Amino acid sequence: MTDVLASRSFRGPAAEDAVESVHNDLDSLWLDVPFVQDMDQMTFTTAVIESVSNIIQHAEPAGDEPVELGVDITVQPALLQARVSAFHAQPPFGPMEPAVPGEDSESGRGLALIEALVTTVTFERQESTNTWVLSRTSSQG
Amino acid sequence: MEFSYEVRDSYAEVKADGRLNMVSAPKLREFVTDVIAGGSNRIVVNLEKTAFMDSSGLGALIGCLKAARQAGGDLRIAAVQPQVKMVLQLTSMDKVLTAYPSADEAFSND
């Protein structure tokens, strides 16, 4: 059995407002689990916001329904995990390998940054839902 | 996020308070573009109260840097907080966007 110490969930339109909502959820989550080290909070928050922004900016609807964003975050004794989903979405377009943009490029660093921030990133597709699972093994159990 | 600016002796100081994310990044770019258009091409972005920056925010800073250089000047950042420093280091952009301890020091040796 997993021992979930704290959690937050968000579901709503994949629109700009969602970025601030999810960020506020994360800030309040950390207040519930003050033992999670600052570095873990900082890296995990950044990875989740990158992932959410990626969906808002790039997810395309699969049909008539607009893309919805879902974020489920759980804190376990030694594990931070977020399931970041795009509902009613087409499969992601193009390669999912992180790019290495030139130093004067103004975009394209998000995926590489996510990979640097968390321990594992996995992708699942089920029906019309794309889900990225971000896991970070926390420094203190 | 809130932006403000003040013209100093040899540069314009732009303050960006809040989260520099995909929502605020285009606004920073627009704000700095206006400051440059107003005649200041040496810009210091004071990030003392920027608690968070993602890759969109980083992209905006790079865009602002390019705009300042195109206008014959430069853009430097100051008072970088831990999360912003982490993003700069992980993307190796700390070599391109040089961080100074304070806005005063950013152009002090030029």
Side-chain angles (χ1 to χ4, degrees):
Chain A
M1 284 289 289
T2 54
D3 187 7
V4 175
L5 304 173
S7 65
R8 292 290 186 280
S9 289
F10 173 89
R11 175 114 185 205
E16 284 189 348
D17 290 352
V19 176
E20 297 290 350
S21 298
V22 172
H23 207 140
N24 292 339
D25 283 349
L26 282 156
D27 282 353
S28 83
L29 173 72
W30 303 131
L31 296 177
D32 289 355
V33 283
F35 55 87
V36 175
Q37 301 214 344
D38 288 351
M39 178 58 79
D40 289 324
Q41 295 184 20
M42 200 165 78
T43 50
F44 192 70
T45 296
T46 309
V48 172
I49 297 301
E50 283 291 339
S51 194
V52 164
S53 303
N54 190 47
I55 287 175
I56 294 169
Q57 288 172 315
H58 301 297
E60 294 290 339
D64 295 336
E65 286 186 89
V67 176
E68 272 201 348
L69 173 74
V71 183
D72 293 296
I73 304 161
T74 55
V75 178
Q76 295 172 37
L79 180 69
L80 308 172
Q81 191 169 75
R83 295 180 61 84
V84 184
S85 300
F87 299 99
H88 321 302
Q90 290 179 20
F93 176 79
M96 290 169 62
E97 294 300 315
V100 184
E103 65 180 27
D104 64 343
S105 174
E106 294 172 40
S107 61
R109 294 185 178 83
L111 287 179
L113 189 56
I114 292 169
E115 292 210 339
L117 290 164
V118 295
T119 314
T120 60
V121 184
T122 59
F123 173 74
E124 301 166 4
R125 177 157 175 90
Q126 198 165 21
E127 296 180 356
S128 60
T129 301
N130 302 326
T131 300
W132 285 264
V133 183
L134 314 179
S135 303
R136 181 174 171 90
T137 309
S138 53
S139 311
Q140 189 177 341
Chain B
M1 172 158 252
E2 290 188 7
F3 304 107
S4 61
Y5 83 102
E6 208 165 320
V7 178
R8 310 271 184 202
D9 286 346
S10 63
Y11 62 91
E13 179 180 358
V14 173
K15 290 185 179 174
D17 299 354
R19 296 169 181 158
L20 186 48
N21 56 23
M22 65 165 282
V23 181
S24 56
K27 295 172 186 166
L28 172 68
R29 198 182 302 236
E30 194 179 323
F31 191 86
V32 172
T33 301
D34 286 348
V35 172
I36 294 169
S40 301
N41 62 8
R42 283 152 62 101
I43 308 287
V44 179
V45 182
N46 186 335
L47 297 171
E48 184 182 3
K49 292 183 179 167
T50 303
F52 179 88
M53 179 180 78
D54 64 8
S55 63
S56 305
L58 176 60
L61 281 179
I62 295 163
C64 294
L65 170 70
K66 283 160 48 177
R69 288 183 176 168
Q70 276 165 12
D74 202 4
L75 178 142
R76 295 171 186 179
I77 56 176
V80 169
Q81 300 304 300
Q83 190 274 347
V84 174
K85 187 177 179 187
M86 175 190 75
V87 169
L88 289 167
Q89 288 175 339
L90 286 175
T91 54
S92 300
M93 293 309 289
D94 51 339
K95 300 175 187 74
V96 177
L97 285 160
T98 312
Y100 292 84
S102 68
D104 286 346
E105 291 164 83
F107 283 105
S108 62
N109 289 327
D110 286 29

